[in-house]
Each structure stands twice: as structure tokens, then as C-alpha cells.
Amino acid sequence: MRAVYLDNNATTRVDPAVVEAMLPFFTEQFGNPSSIHSFGASVGQSVKKARQQLQELLAAEYDHEIVYTASGTESDNTAVLSALEAMPGRNEIVTTQVEHPAILALCQHLEKIGRAKVHYIGVDSLGRLDLEAYRAALSDKVALVTIMWANNETGTIFPVEALAELAKEHGALFHTDAVQAVGKAPISLKGGAIDMLSLSGHKLHAPKGVGALYVKRGARFKPLLRGGHQERGRRAGTENTPGVIGLGKAAELAIQHMADEQGRVKELRDRLERAILQRVPNCFVNGDPLERLPNTSNIAFEYVEGEAILLHLTRQGIAASSGSACTSGSLEPSHVMRAMNVPFTAAHGSIRFSLSRENVAEDVDQVIEALPEIVENLRALSPFWAGANKEPNAFKPVYA
Ligand SMILES: Cc1ncc(COP(=O)(O)O)c(C=O)c1O
């Protein structure tokens, strides 16, 4: 049985070329990049090159706008806590209801300890931001707006550049969690209004445990980790040199593969989606069919448990993911599905397929072959399905 990996929004395989680039930095090139002797200096030069590679992927304008961290989560936490400290007299945060827990859990904690007032902006049924509510939440009390570039569950892309312009009018800092977007969608920060951007190595074929925070030159910033002078005093702690080198190489490869990601990978995703919608009754796409990452498809199968679908897919060698989280014994639909008001009967059966440049046509064929029967068999066991209104699929995505 072929193994098919369609869970690339959870993590990606490290590209062999990335591993190759990293290897010398465990052994021969083991020096500390901050040391001035030759062992350190040559590593320092390689770190500098890696920083430029990442800078190029983001089209960042100036040197030293990249601060290395240990994860997307650390980058997100740093951005939020930095803004609250760097913007005295302002204690409000504007964010969305569909952010990753790396933002949401911190915001909820800050509210609980009385450190910040947080505005959680809602989304519509396609996952698009409520712009009116966003404008209404902005004021001169807002220290930070933090809105993700693309949603990890549905792939829906937010118009962050325009949202950042609006935040600027009120003097607020703007951060975007671009962990899912970097490497999949073109990003150009040069000349824009985005002050900070988070990314994570393991989502773009670099290793786990390395991330970065872009901090625009001149943007107010306070470090989270204090200690040594690494990263120009913005993040103390000796850099994860092999990880940093790997992230640089992954950035270089992402630039080379961007057209493939936007073309071939998107076509594979669209073919998978179209075939499922045609062959499986009572299912629909979650998220914005147009403003969406090219690799992500989140499909809601009515009257069936997502976890059960995943289990059966796993038996056939296919790895995907569900939006459900098991909370205190009951399967709760994810906060993203709830924010989008996906009906209860469908939110439970939502499956995320996330592709990467490593996927091929056979992977998609294998899912198209297996899935209709899995859903049919599971529904045959469901009393809800017996009484359901079986209609042709209500919503067909529009393909750009
Ligand atoms: C949108 C988003 N933000 C943040 C993170 C956290 O990144 P990391 O796993 O590097 O901490 C993830 C990971 O799934 C994510 O999808």
C-alpha cells in the first residue's frame, strides 16, 4: 500500500537538500556564530547568508529585519507581548476568532490577568473577516492588531496588507501570523505597512524547532527573551545554527518552487476537491474558494464523524486531518468551524487535506478512489443519515 501524506499544514518533510545544507553545522562548523575566532566567524557568515535567503523570500527591504526564534508559537507570543510593552498607554489588541492557539490562548490569558482588552473579530460562513467590525474595533487605544495571513484549517487568506494600512491610521502596530502562508503564497513586505510577521521552519520543508519573526526596521520592539546580545539584543540565546541554515535553504527552495505551488499543486488540490464533490453527496468546501492557499482543501461531510473518516483513510495509507479536537470526552468542532457557523452536522465531519510540492497525481487518485466508499459505509451506520435530506451538493466552489 502506498503511503499518501496530505497533512502538510501540520508539518512537512524536511527537503533532502535542506538536510544536506545543515549537516556540516553539527560537526565541522560547530562554532558559536557570536564568537570572533575563526570557528565562530565562518558560521556567522553562513548565518548571515541564511538570513538573506529568508529576507529574499519575504521581499523584506532591509538587513537585520529577521529575528530567529524556536517556533512559530514563540514568534507569535513575542510579537504580542512586545507590542503591549512597546506601546505604553495602549492596552487593546485586535485579533480574529479564527487565529491559531499560539495567538488565541495568549490573548485569552492576557485578558484573564487584566493585562489587555481583546477584540476578537468574527468571520462569515466563508471565513472572511467582518470588515465593519474590524474598523469599529480600531482606535488609539489599540497597541497591536494581529491577524493571520492564512488560516491553517481552511486556507482562507486575509487581506493583511490592506488591514495593516487601516491599523496604521490609528497608530497601532500590525502583526501577521504567516506560518501557513510563507512558501505557499507570494509575500512582499517591502514598502508595506506590516510591522511584524511570524513564520515557522517545519511548515516549509525546514526542520521543527526553528522559526523567525520579521520586525520591520523602525517598528517598536521589546524582546521576550533577555540575556546575551544575540539577534542584536532582540532574542537572547545562542541561535539554533543548523536550523537557521536549514531555514535559509528552505527559503531558497521555496522561491524556486513557488510557481509549482501556485500551479501544479493547486491543480492537484482542485482536482481532488472537484472529484470529491462530484462523487460524494452532501458535502461542501469550508473556507473562501477563491482567496485561499493553493494547497489546502477543507471539506465538510454531513452526517458523519471526521475522526471515523480519518481512521478509515489511515487504514488505506492516507494521512489527512480533522478540525475536531477531543475535549473532555466529547468531539467539539474546532473554533474555526464554530466561528464560520458551519452547521453542527457538517462541522463534525470536516476533513482537511493539505498538499505540498512533494505530492503527485497518484496521491490524489488514491484518495478519490477510497473516500466515497468510506463515507458511504459510515453513513449507512448513521441514524441521522437515514432521515437526512439527500440533496446534490449545495455549494460548488468557484475555481479561479
Ligand atoms: C497558523 C499557525 N500559527 C502558528 C503555528 C505554530 O507554529 P509552531 O508549530 O512552529 O509553533 C501553527 C502550527 O500549526 C500554525 O498553523
Side-chain angles (χ1 to χ4, degrees):
M1 188 169 50
R2 288 178 76 246
V4 175
Y5 185 72
L6 297 179
D7 199 12
N8 287 279
N9 286 10
T11 199
T12 56
R13 191 174 81 107
V14 180
D15 193 300
V18 169
V19 177
E20 201 185 317
M22 290 171 66
L23 282 178
F25 292 88
F26 290 102
T27 49
E28 302 99 73
Q29 306 235 47
F30 64 87
N32 188 326
S34 301
S35 301
I36 50 167
H37 51 61
S38 63
F39 290 84
S42 72
V43 176
Q45 280 305 314
S46 301
V47 167
K48 190 174 169 194
K49 184 183 161 208
R51 216 182 285 277
Q52 282 163 353
Q53 287 166 316
L54 196 50
Q55 190 180 337
E56 212 170 301
L57 177 63
L58 303 176
E61 193 160 9
Y62 301 105
D63 291 346
H64 309 295
E65 291 184 321
I66 305 286
V67 179
Y68 289 114
T69 65
S71 62
T73 301
E74 186 193 321
S75 302
D76 283 349
N77 273 244
T78 304
V80 172
L81 295 170
S82 163
L84 283 179
E85 198 184 332
M87 304 285 276
R90 294 177 178 235
N91 72 339
E92 294 189 11
I93 296 171
V94 177
T95 188
T96 78
Q97 291 174 5
V98 297
E99 297 299 306
H100 188 272
I103 291 289
L104 281 184
L106 175 62
C107 286
Q108 284 154 5
H109 173 70
L110 291 169
E111 276 185 303
K112 203 170 136 197
I113 62 170
R115 178 66 184 89
K117 178 182 171 187
V118 186
H119 303 264
Y120 300 94
I121 309 301
V123 296
D124 67 9
S125 61
L126 295 184
R128 296 174 303 194
L129 196 72
D130 180 344
L131 282 176
E132 216 169 293
Y134 175 63
R135 283 176 198 274
L138 292 173
S139 75
D140 60 8
K141 294 191 204 114
V142 176
L144 178 76
V145 175
T146 173
I147 295 184
M148 62 199 337
W149 196 299
N151 184 266
N152 45 305
E153 289 190 28
T154 62
T156 298
I157 292 175
F158 287 117
V160 282
E161 283 125 331
L163 298 173
E165 293 288 350
L166 290 171
K168 207 176 190 177
E169 287 174 15
H170 297 270
L173 288 169
F174 190 94
H175 164 254
T176 182
D177 173 344
V179 165
Q180 291 294 344
V182 173
K184 297 171 192 160
I187 289 180
S188 179
L189 296 172
K190 198 173 170 174
I194 292 171
D195 295 296
M196 289 179 283
L197 174 147
S198 298
L199 62 97
S200 175
H202 73 104
K203 309 289 185 180
L204 65 143
H205 305 279
K208 294 158 189 66
V210 63
L213 181 66
Y214 158 89
V215 182
K216 194 182 186 63
R217 192 168 82 167
R220 291 184 185 210
F221 183 80
K222 296 280 181 188
L224 175 66
L225 299 186
R226 291 168 191 275
H229 298 295
Q230 293 90 351
E231 301 297 298
R232 300 193 154 210
R234 291 169 302 174
R235 198 271 192 181
T238 304
E239 291 89 349
N240 165 9
T241 320
V244 162
I245 302 297
L247 182 52
K249 184 68 187 174
E252 182 193 314
L253 294 174
I255 295 170
Q256 288 167 16
H257 288 283
M258 187 61 76
D260 183 52
E261 198 79 40
Q262 299 273 309
R264 190 188 61 89
V265 174
K266 179 177 180 296
E267 275 164 31
L268 281 182
R269 188 276 311 268
D270 288 351
R271 187 159 71 77
L272 172 71
E273 202 164 75
R274 221 179 277 129
I276 292 173
L277 290 177
Q278 277 163 2
R279 291 173 197 211
V280 182
N282 293 67
C283 66
F284 57 88
V285 173
N286 288 316
D288 188 334
L290 290 180
E291 295 302 324
R292 192 163 47 137
L293 291 176
N295 78 316
T296 308
S297 176
N298 188 313
I299 302 183
F301 299 91
E302 289 183 300
Y303 308 106
V304 59
E305 282 294 343
E307 303 295 320
I309 298 179
L310 285 185
L311 204 68
H312 286 272
L313 284 174
T314 305
R315 286 192 186 145
Q316 303 206 32
I318 300 162
S321 154
S322 85
S324 310
C326 197
T327 329
S328 59
S330 69
L331 285 173
E332 282 287 316
S334 81
H335 67 287
V336 177
M337 296 299 130
R338 275 183 278 136
M340 288 164 63
N341 258 325
V342 176
F344 191 75
T345 46
H348 272 267
S350 291
I351 301 286
R352 178 186 73 187
F353 299 98
S354 50
L355 287 70
S356 84
R357 62 182 189 240
E358 299 202 327
N359 287 115
V360 292
E362 288 76 28
D363 297 337
V364 165
D365 293 341
Q366 201 163 318
V367 180
I368 296 170
E369 187 64 33
L371 193 63
E373 200 179 318
I374 291 174
V375 176
E376 193 181 333
N377 290 343
L378 288 170
R379 280 176 175 166
L381 304 171
S382 160
F384 299 108
W385 176 245
N389 189 11
K390 292 158 190 102
E391 287 173 342
N393 292 322
F395 166 62
K396 303 270 185 218
V398 188
Y399 294 97

